[in-house]
Amino acid sequence: MEKEAKIALLKERAKELRKTALTMIYEANSGHPGGSLSAADLMAALYFDELRLNPENPRWEDRDRFVLSKGHVCPILYSALALRGFFPYETIHTLRKYGSILQGHPDMKRCPGVDISTGSLGQGISCAVGMAIAYKRDKKDARVFAMLGDGETNEGQVWEAVEAAVKYGLDNLVIIVDNNGLQNDGACADIMPTQDLCDKFKSFGCRTFCIDGHDMEQIVGVFEKIRMESGCCKPFAIVAKTVKGKGVSFMENVVKWHGVAPNDDEYKMAMAELEVGLK
Amino acid sequence: MKALRDGFGDEIIELGRENSKIYVIDCDIGKSCKTQPFAKELPEQYLNVGIAEQNAAGVGAGLATCGKIPFVCTYAAFGSMRMCEQIRQEMCYPMLNVKIACSHGGLTPANDGASHQCIEDIGIMRTLPNMTVIAPGDYYATRKLVKEATKIYGPVYLRFTRDAIPFVYDENEEFEIGKAKQLKSGNDVTIIASGSVLHLAVQAAEQLEAEGVSVRLIDMHTIKPLDKEIVRKALEETGAVITVEDHNIINGLGSAVCEVAAELGKGRVKRMGVQDQFGESGPYYKLLEKNGVTAELIAEAAKGAVSNG
Ligand SMILES: Cc1ncc(C[n+]2csc(CCOP(=O)(O)OP(=O)(O)O)c2C)c(N)n1
Ligand SMILES: [Mg+2]
């Protein structure tokens, strides 16, 4: 596909992801919109371009794996899985409902396409390291992608995992940080300053890229570079500068929208804005 | 109706005002743990260490060695499990005066699902030497027991829950750690409950009374040290005990009562609670019902115990 056409298509997908995720949270009247919206463009590029997946066979042994280490933003993951056909689209209306495959945090035993159950922050990335080591030892060319929150990097376990990834030369692992600058109680700068995450990942020994996580060209470009550098014997880290709540003006950069659902009016306003797409 | 976590938030700020040694340490969920008014009013006694529970526990222990009385606040799942070894090594072993104050115990973060629910904490915490374990049954009990926790020296695990539940007490009720409260006297059967399902036990007892069953009702707000004397009397005088808790039936209140019964060699115990299975997303009372914990089923179990007696 022509690069321009591809980028236009991925932007369209990101828009659908945002609308689907917000609809899920609105209908469930509970969930995490802010970090779902900040991750939407990265998720679109992953699920509609970069990841090697087979929705017919979610447990395909040679698939690329995706670990949503910041499990609370599962509505955006469920949206991607629904739109890729891992389960019927109508399932989105069951988020957080009794008996649903779409649990409040991802459950790999219930939901096709979920590679590991997450929800307790800081743990998913270690599981991603385990997966990447197994792929290497089994001589598979599949890769592992892990998405983390910036607040999540407060957890010491994240850095333990990064050290192990470097030690084992996991150039089949791509760590993506959704660097939206906010966590639950406030701005990262006030709650626990992360310092410069790009410097941190570099100093730990990762091949590190810093991008604008809403610029589809940059996102696609960085994944391309990473593919070309496979064999560098280093894990990759993408620190993606993002805006929490991106795409809904009244949610952007507002701490409150970390973990509350929109009411009727807010939902209508948000959907109208999302329909127009990112500026 | 009021949530237990609100009881904690409302009490800790008063305690903090009176005693500048009282500290709150948050782990980026202060909003959910209801400590934000404390943070605002008493910033010199407040820390937020971010999403780093293990560090929070250690910082709490360090503060305690310098004479502070820290309350480390997070969800029960993270407070009892992510911080578990730090609690053992740096609070229980050296017998330091740190309080672990956790919201979201049991199945109460109902929508969030299994990752955020916690049905294991009481079992884990009561197995640690030197630890005191408290699960208040309503808003007022929470306030009083938080206050009592500051009066005893040593590590205390306090378990609160997320959602609003009915009042069982009024603001004048007094509580003593380690001393259970007998809410109804009766001789046919005893119900011992703790935590946020206490009100279901109250409803069951009222139903039983209306049907002419003489039921004894006990609020076991302190699971460790357990009020063994009141359990012994219940076993000897009523023969049968039903335990009710929002926790795995393994290692919680039910198990603690069974230990007394087994060593005494008297009485029968039926444990009601989470049936050794993970929670899931759904309405709180639906999740309890799935585990057989409803007022009706408690009453039925009590009647069953009487007729078998
Ligand atoms: C171990 C652990 N502690 C606390 C929480 C509660 N929690 C859920 S989301 C969140 C904030 C996450 O912030 P960040 O990682 O920046 O995510 P984002 O901004 O992308 O939503 C917290 C503290 C948790 N899920 N796991
Ligand atoms: Mg963030």
Side-chain angles (χ1 to χ4, degrees):
Chain A
M1 206 190 306
E2 278 296 316
K3 196 166 170 194
E4 265 162 48
K6 176 161 104 180
I7 285 174
L9 186 123
L10 290 177
K11 285 183 178 173
E12 203 48 43
R13 291 286 187 249
K15 184 162 135 184
E16 287 173 59
L17 287 181
R18 284 192 165 90
K19 281 163 52 185
T20 305
L22 204 74
T23 300
M24 293 174 86
I25 295 167
Y26 165 68
E27 289 181 356
N29 195 24
S30 130
H32 298 80
S36 295
L37 295 171
S38 62
D41 301 297
L42 293 157
M43 290 296 280
L46 284 165
Y47 272 85
F48 296 96
D49 190 39
E50 192 62 21
L51 294 178
R52 189 170 79 186
L53 299 168
N54 181 359
E56 318 273 80
N57 181 11
R59 297 243 183 256
W60 175 40
E61 285 193 357
D62 292 316
R63 70 186 183 279
D64 286 341
R65 296 192 185 214
F66 177 72
V67 172
L68 187 64
S69 201
K70 56 165 200 159
H72 58 283
V73 306
C74 52
I76 203 74
L77 170 62
Y78 297 153
S79 300
L81 294 173
L83 288 163
R84 278 296 312 266
F86 278 82
F87 45 78
Y89 187 79
E90 306 78 67
T91 314
I92 67 146
H93 304 297
T94 65
L95 176 71
R96 292 180 167 232
K97 300 226 162 79
Y98 186 70
S100 174
I101 63 168
L102 308 182
Q103 291 289 297
H105 293 80
D107 179 346
M108 68 185 290
K109 289 185 72 180
R110 289 184 197 239
C111 185
V114 170
D115 285 321
I116 188 85
S117 302
T118 52
S120 179
L121 293 167
Q123 304 193 21
I125 182 174
S126 296
C127 305
V129 167
M131 293 170 187
I133 291 173
Y135 274 169
K136 280 225 170 250
R137 301 230 164 145
D138 292 345
K139 312 248 172 330
K140 287 187 195 292
D141 65 355
R143 295 183 296 165
V144 183
F145 294 74
M147 182 178 286
L148 280 73
D150 44 10
E152 183 180 6
T153 68
N154 296 167
E155 289 285 1
Q157 182 175 355
V158 167
W159 304 101
E160 297 172 21
V162 173
E163 284 181 334
V166 171
K167 173 183 173 184
Y168 288 102
L170 300 181
D171 50 15
N172 58 347
L173 173 67
V174 182
I175 300 161
I176 305 167
V177 181
D178 182 357
N179 192 188
N180 59 28
L182 302 185
Q183 46 196 105
N184 185 69
D185 280 348
C188 300
D190 298 326
I191 302 305
M192 186 49 65
T194 58
Q195 309 304 337
D196 187 324
L197 284 171
C198 295
D199 287 350
K200 260 184 171 166
F201 279 97
K202 269 183 213 156
S203 68
F204 270 72
C206 295
R207 178 77 178 100
T208 305
F209 300 91
C210 303
I211 64 162
D212 174 345
H214 300 305
D215 181 329
M216 199 55 84
E217 273 179 55
Q218 286 191 35
I219 297 172
V220 169
V222 82
F223 284 141
E224 221 169 72
K225 259 190 223 150
I226 286 174
R227 249 180 287 126
M228 285 180 340
E229 288 193 24
S230 75
C232 72
C233 295
K234 281 181 184 181
F236 296 96
I238 302 173
V239 178
K241 191 83 209 87
T242 55
V243 175
K244 205 157 174 171
K246 180 73 177 180
V248 178
S249 57
F250 60 90
M251 292 188 180
E252 287 186 1
N253 248 320
V254 177
V255 175
K256 176 197 139 180
W257 289 104
H258 169 74
V260 290
N263 64 24
D264 293 350
D265 289 342
E266 289 161 344
Y267 173 67
K268 269 187 217 130
M269 268 155 48
M271 288 301 273
E273 282 192 30
L274 290 176
E275 191 51 56
V276 178
L278 297 191
K279 282 169 211 103
Chain B
M1 297 258 290
K2 233 177 184 178
L4 305 188
R5 58 175 172 161
D6 286 313
F8 172 67
D10 293 347
E11 188 62 30
I12 195 70
I13 189 165
E14 290 196 3
L15 294 169
R17 275 180 203 136
E18 287 161 17
N19 183 351
S20 62
K21 288 190 180 139
I22 292 193
Y23 271 54
V24 164
I25 307 177
D26 267 326
C27 305
D28 192 35
I29 36 182
K31 279 192 205 158
S32 314
C33 295
K34 302 293 172 185
T35 53
Q36 294 310 282
F38 186 107
K40 235 179 151 180
E41 191 182 315
L42 304 167
E44 288 297 314
Q45 291 159 247
Y46 179 79
L47 302 167
N48 192 330
V49 298
I51 312 167
E53 295 79 10
Q54 299 170 82
N55 186 45
V59 170
L63 286 166
T65 65
C66 300
K68 313 296 182 198
I69 307 169
F71 279 72
V72 183
C73 304
T74 178
Y75 294 161
F78 313 134
S80 67
M81 292 181 271
R82 196 61 157 266
M83 311 194 319
C84 184
E85 203 219 339
Q86 281 78 7
I87 292 174
R88 172 186 182 267
Q89 182 66 24
E90 308 295 355
M91 296 177 200
C92 292
Y93 179 44
M95 186 65 183
L96 290 175
N97 198 20
V98 188
K99 320 298 172 188
I100 312 296
C102 291
S103 181
H104 292 46
L107 297 168
T108 55
N111 290 327
D112 282 334
S115 63
H116 284 54
Q117 295 161 353
C118 185
I119 56 162
E120 306 91 346
D121 54 339
I122 288 171
I124 293 168
M125 288 296 132
R126 91 182 173 93
T127 218
L128 297 170
N130 292 340
M131 183 58 102
T132 295
V133 181
I134 295 174
D138 84 345
Y139 170 86
Y140 293 114
T142 300
R143 292 199 61 159
K144 290 285 163 68
L145 285 160
V146 168
K147 189 169 186 173
E148 291 302 306
T150 62
K151 294 184 191 160
I152 61 169
Y153 185 90
V156 178
Y157 180 80
L158 290 144
R159 187 212 226 203
F160 315 125
T161 51
R162 179 185 186 282
D163 301 322
I165 50 168
F167 298 115
V168 174
Y169 300 105
D170 63 36
E171 59 192 342
N172 300 316
E173 194 74 34
E174 295 299 331
F175 290 81
E176 193 184 320
I177 291 172
K179 193 144 182 8
K181 290 192 92 69
Q182 185 162 314
L183 303 182
K184 278 184 197 302
S185 52
N187 292 316
D188 293 342
V189 59
T190 303
I191 302 173
I192 303 181
S194 79
S196 61
V197 289
L198 176 64
H199 69 284
L200 296 179
V202 172
Q203 287 167 21
E206 281 164 3
Q207 189 182 320
L208 288 162
E209 267 186 339
E211 295 176 35
V213 180
S214 169
V215 57
R216 187 176 298 186
L217 176 64
I218 292 169
D219 170 9
M220 193 64 79
H221 50 75
T222 307
I223 289 123
K224 184 186 175 184
L226 191 77
D227 186 343
K228 290 187 185 150
E229 190 49 28
I230 208 168
V231 176
R232 183 189 62 75
K233 280 179 78 179
L235 289 162
E236 285 179 348
E237 292 168 14
T238 72
V241 169
I242 315 287
T243 61
V244 186
E245 61 192 315
D246 179 0
H247 184 276
N248 198 343
I249 54 164
I250 295 178
N251 281 347
L253 168 70
S255 295
V257 168
C258 283
E259 288 158 15
V260 176
E263 291 192 350
L264 193 68
K266 271 193 199 141
R268 283 167 296 118
V269 182
K270 171 155 179 64
R271 295 167 301 156
M272 301 183 78
V274 179
Q275 300 296 308
D276 196 24
Q277 59 185 343
F278 283 104
E280 63 191 288
S281 295
Y284 181 49
Y285 289 102
K286 179 87 200 158
L287 301 181
L288 286 175
E289 187 192 316
K290 183 183 176 186
N291 287 284
V293 181
T294 67
E296 290 71 32
L297 291 170
I298 297 167
E300 225 165 87
K303 276 186 274 182
V306 174
S307 58
N308 286 338

